Amino acid sequence: MSTPEPDAQPSQQAEQPSKPRLQPLLQRATGVPGLFVAVYSAVGFSIYFSLGVVADRGLGLTPLIFLAAGLLFVVTTLSYVEGGAMIRERGGSSSFARHAFNELIAFIAGWAILIDYLIVAALAAISVPHYLEPISSDLSEAGWEIGIAGAVIVAACVLNMLNVTGRSRERPLAILALADIALQLAVVVVGVLAVFHPDRLTDQINLFTSPDFHDIVYASVVAMLAYAGIEAASDLAPDINVDPRDLKRIVSVGALAVPLVYAGMAAIALMAVPVVAGPHGPETALGHRYVEAPVLGVVSAYHPVWVSDAMRWLVVVIATPVLFWAVTTALLGVSRHIYTLAINRQIPSWLGKLNSRHATPQVAIAISGVIAIGLVLPTNVKLLAGLYAFGAMLAITIAQLSILRLRITQPDRPRPFRVPLDVEWRGAQLPLPALLAAVVSALAFISVLIYHDTARWVGLGWMTFGLLFYVVYRKGFEGTTLTKRVSVTEKALTKQVPEVAFRNILVPVFGSKLDDDIVSTAGRLAAAEQEEAESGEEETRLDLVYVIEVPLTLPLDAELPGDIEASAQRALRRASDVAEEYEDVNVNAEVVRARGIGAGIVESARRNGSEAIVIGGEPPTKIKGGAKLGGIGGAKPAEIGAATEYVLKKAPCRVLLTAPPETGSESAPAPAAAPAGAD
């Protein structure tokens, strides 16, 4: 149907400010302090459980292994910051791949990193009861261990569902992050004074024999667990609101400081709990007795005893809440990731459904919590660390390749931050650090497939299941290709009904006996809105519109029989009299010519900036079975049949469909909100 062209000059309307229907979900501005807290809380906690699993295989080379992994962490951080600052979408490596490649590659990255979020949550939760051991040694027993870890995960899920994670809590989180940094530095400083024996680092080292090449590679890949929060930190991209210069400083300081602190702690750890000869070769208690709480094991070896006791309690007081917050952050990260996959139609929308009150992906959070508890049950941190390496190396490789491809395909796209040290290749400026990191991470992923038996089969099984699920969903349910991007808005994933503003209401009138009821309904809504309005706000307005349908055989401005115009004016006068009974409501009336009644109503709503349309529905029938059994519904009057149907489909705003009284009844109609059109 052609776009209607009114023959009368539209009445003068005050320009209406655009009101947000639904505030962006899961979004808040993050400044320099908030960014520091969020990034550090996402990365700085993992030393509390990664130190033991790396030392188990890295032995005396553990500090150097942390430094080597730290170099990959540094260049990976640079790439993630360039991609996040450029794209400003949640999803990390998955988001980068979406823009650089296609939806299939994006899903592979996203699915790989999902299991890593859950593993981090499980590892942090398992560590909590072991770090509480100074309170009671029973807490680290199997029953208590699973119970406490499960309780931590449940509590983290509840906090995330209630959307209290980080909202208006930057100050206490900043204090916790600073306390965490202070504790890690204290471990190093006190360790230098209490157990400084550099010779212990090399006592049992026989390069490529103890540890052998296999162990070095294994430990180096697992050491990336120490930087487990990089994907979670990248999810902050839409929230970052800092100057590019500040961003560069944060990246420079954070990317370099974290690996140095970790390497320093590893060195002190192997001085306090050294590598010794065991029945099956060199070993350290960090990889066995203290593997679930290595930092506690380190400070337990300090002397004199009062120093050890003081440090143990300091670790309990700080490490426990840090680990709890790590669980919360990991589960928030996986729920956001599931939400992002749902938004992009890579998984069913119900998995990313948002809570109507708190705007949080409650289904994703609940499912994540259940899976995390399942991962806790074996209480095997070494197994979980190996599984983590599979997803992390795959996701990081895809992230690096995505940044490189975007430099080729979108060279002119604004980049608030760029990875330095470009090299030219076929006219494109490729960052050398990203090139090297892509090669190293790809080789690391291959090493996982070769050396990590459990990670290989579990990881490949996880990816196979995910890809089969993706293919079936995209082909069978979405009916689209595997590579095409199909996305929905945030509002599609929430049951939350956008707040309807009734300050500017359009009311079509038709000269029928239902006009009075419809106008009265709109008047009551407008008056109620005016009563709730704050002083100084603009008054509510009713726009009464009568649409004259002009046949296609005539021009829109053709002269029509006088009785048509007269009927329109009578209908508008009657409707105006009814509307003006409601005080403080401005009433405007106009006649509009259009090719169709519904099209004329929709065009008037667009032109007037209407926030709601109140229109009549068909009168209900008392006869069950509708028109087939003699009830109303066989022949629809044009003014409340086809026109209403058109408006419901095409309206640019909310539509309130009023139900007329039953035949013979004189009761007023009841409004029923019907979301229509593009809100």
Side-chain angles (χ1 to χ4, degrees):
M1 187 173 290
S2 60
T3 303
E5 303 171 28
D7 68 334
Q9 291 293 327
S11 57
Q12 295 294 322
Q13 308 289 350
E15 185 175 351
Q16 299 295 313
S18 176
K19 288 189 177 183
R21 301 286 181 185
L22 182 64
Q23 294 297 328
L25 303 171
L26 302 172
Q27 183 170 338
R28 60 184 177 88
T30 300
V32 173
L35 181 61
F36 165 75
V37 170
V39 172
Y40 191 84
S41 64
V43 178
F45 63 83
S46 47
I47 190 67
Y48 293 108
F49 50 77
S50 63
L51 179 58
V53 293
V54 176
D56 179 50
R57 302 292 285 270
L59 301 176
L61 293 180
T62 297
L64 295 179
I65 288 172
F66 270 116
L67 277 179
L71 293 177
L72 180 58
F73 168 74
V74 170
V75 294
T76 300
T77 299
L78 296 177
S79 296
Y80 271 77
V81 173
E82 176 175 318
M86 172 176 56
I87 297 174
R88 295 184 69 83
E89 293 179 4
R90 304 191 194 282
S93 55
S94 178
S95 178
F96 306 159
R98 176 171 296 108
H99 290 267
F101 298 103
N102 54 50
E103 286 300 293
L104 178 58
I105 305 300
F107 176 79
I108 291 173
W111 192 254
I113 210 65
L114 273 182
I115 191 66
D116 280 357
Y117 276 119
L118 297 169
I119 289 171
V120 169
L123 282 170
I126 290 173
S127 299
V128 169
H130 291 275
Y131 276 98
L132 292 174
E133 189 176 348
I135 298 176
S136 172
S137 58
D138 293 338
L139 297 179
S140 60
E141 297 297 326
W144 281 101
E145 179 184 18
I146 295 175
I148 294 174
V152 167
I153 292 172
V154 170
C157 288
V158 171
L159 289 179
N160 281 326
M161 287 182 180
L162 297 178
N163 198 19
V164 298
T165 51
R167 186 175 59 184
S168 303
R169 286 166 173 78
E170 284 189 358
R171 179 171 295 180
L173 289 181
I175 294 173
L176 182 59
L178 291 173
D180 187 20
I181 296 173
L183 173 61
Q184 293 177 11
L185 293 176
V187 170
V188 175
V189 172
V190 176
V192 168
L193 299 175
V195 292
F196 190 68
H197 302 288
D199 54 300
R200 292 182 177 179
L201 296 176
T202 57
D203 271 352
Q204 298 293 325
I205 289 182
N206 187 356
L207 196 57
F208 299 124
T209 301
S210 174
D212 60 20
F213 179 77
H214 173 211
D215 289 330
I216 294 173
V217 173
Y218 190 105
S220 298
V221 175
V222 172
M224 282 304 295
L225 179 64
Y227 313 108
I230 190 168
E231 280 279 346
S234 70
D235 274 343
L236 297 169
D239 304 337
I240 295 175
N241 184 25
V242 298
D243 185 89
R245 290 172 296 182
D246 292 328
L247 185 60
K248 291 178 181 178
R249 285 195 289 269
I250 292 172
V251 172
S252 301
V253 174
L256 293 174
V258 175
L260 289 176
V261 171
Y262 279 18
M265 290 188 69
I268 293 298
L270 288 174
M271 296 179 197
V273 189
V275 178
V276 296
H280 303 290
E283 62 181 26
T284 170
L286 290 173
H288 300 283
R289 179 183 174 187
Y290 299 121
V291 69
E292 293 93 353
V295 176
L296 188 63
V298 171
V299 299
S300 297
Y302 288 177
H303 54 78
V305 175
W306 67 267
V307 173
S308 173
D309 290 341
M311 290 299 297
R312 280 167 58 85
W313 282 104
L314 189 63
V315 169
V316 171
V317 170
I318 296 176
T320 303
V322 167
L323 287 168
F324 173 76
W325 198 253
V327 177
T328 306
T329 302
L331 291 177
L332 177 62
V334 72
S335 65
R336 282 178 165 180
H337 216 65
I338 292 174
Y339 169 80
T340 302
L341 293 176
I343 281 285
N344 289 283
R345 282 291 193 261
Q346 294 175 312
I347 59 176
S349 296
W350 63 268
L351 287 170
K353 202 72 174 179
L354 296 173
N355 178 275
S356 59
R357 181 175 181 181
H358 302 291
T360 53
Q362 57 186 8
V363 176
I365 293 171
I367 293 175
S368 301
V370 171
I371 297 176
I373 291 174
L375 291 172
V376 163
L377 294 178
T379 64
N380 189 334
V381 298
K382 296 179 184 179
L383 170 64
L384 293 177
L387 294 178
Y388 174 87
F390 180 96
M393 292 301 102
L394 179 56
I396 288 174
T397 302
I398 292 175
Q400 300 290 1
L401 294 175
S402 298
I403 295 303
L404 293 170
R405 181 169 171 78
L406 286 170
R407 285 288 189 97
I408 297 171
T409 59
Q410 301 180 32
D412 299 325
R413 185 165 184 165
R415 289 171 169 82
F417 178 88
R418 293 176 65 93
V419 180
L421 303 177
D422 291 344
V423 293
E424 187 171 348
W425 182 77
R426 295 186 178 181
Q429 299 296 318
L430 302 181
L432 183 59
L435 280 168
L436 295 177
V439 174
V440 172
S441 58
L443 291 175
F445 177 68
I446 293 172
S447 75
V448 173
L449 297 178
I450 296 174
Y451 294 132
H452 297 233
D453 294 336
T454 304
R456 175 174 66 247
W457 296 117
V458 175
L460 290 176
W462 171 261
M463 295 306 301
T464 301
F465 169 77
L467 286 171
L468 289 174
F469 181 84
Y470 178 77
V471 171
V472 171
Y473 176 69
R474 295 280 287 195
K475 289 291 189 180
F477 293 90
E478 285 298 311
T480 187
T481 68
L482 301 181
T483 57
K484 180 181 178 181
R485 183 173 187 180
V486 181
S487 61
V488 296
T489 64
E490 290 176 339
K491 288 182 286 186
L493 297 184
T494 180
K495 294 180 181 178
Q496 178 178 351
V497 178
E499 182 181 353
V500 181
F502 297 124
R503 305 191 63 77
N504 183 359
I505 301 175
L506 180 74
V507 186
V509 296
F510 307 99
S512 71
K513 61 182 180 180
L514 297 176
D515 283 352
D516 288 0
D517 288 333
I518 296 171
V519 174
S520 294
T521 299
R524 289 196 300 272
L525 293 172
E529 179 69 22
Q530 187 62 42
E531 289 178 2
E532 296 177 1
E534 298 179 1
S535 60
E537 287 192 12
E538 188 176 353
E539 292 184 344
T540 54
R541 188 177 80 238
L542 287 184
D543 292 322
L544 307 176
V545 175
Y546 188 104
V547 179
I548 296 177
E549 189 171 17
V550 181
L552 289 172
T553 55
L554 297 175
L556 281 175
D557 58 356
E559 184 176 350
L560 299 175
D563 60 334
I564 295 179
E565 292 283 353
S567 297
Q569 294 300 333
R570 282 196 303 270
L572 286 175
R573 282 196 299 270
R574 172 63 182 173
S576 297
D577 291 340
V578 175
E580 287 172 356
E581 294 177 1
Y582 299 93
E583 297 180 0
D584 300 326
V585 176
N586 292 326
V587 180
N588 297 319
E590 66 174 335
V591 177
V592 171
R593 294 188 178 200
R595 298 301 183 188
I597 294 176
I601 295 170
V602 170
E603 178 61 24
S604 296
R606 289 197 181 100
R607 187 179 66 248
N608 294 332
S610 301
E611 295 167 325
I613 299 173
V614 178
I615 192 170
E618 296 180 71
T621 176
K622 291 183 178 180
I623 301 177
K624 295 182 179 180
K628 291 183 179 180
L629 299 180
I632 297 174
K636 298 180 179 179
E639 65 273 14
I640 56 174
T644 300
E645 184 177 358
Y646 183 93
V647 171
L648 286 171
K649 291 180 178 179
K650 303 291 186 180
C653 59
R654 295 280 294 180
V655 176
L656 298 180
L657 187 63
T658 64
E662 294 181 358
T663 305
S665 172
E666 295 181 359
S667 60
D679 230 345

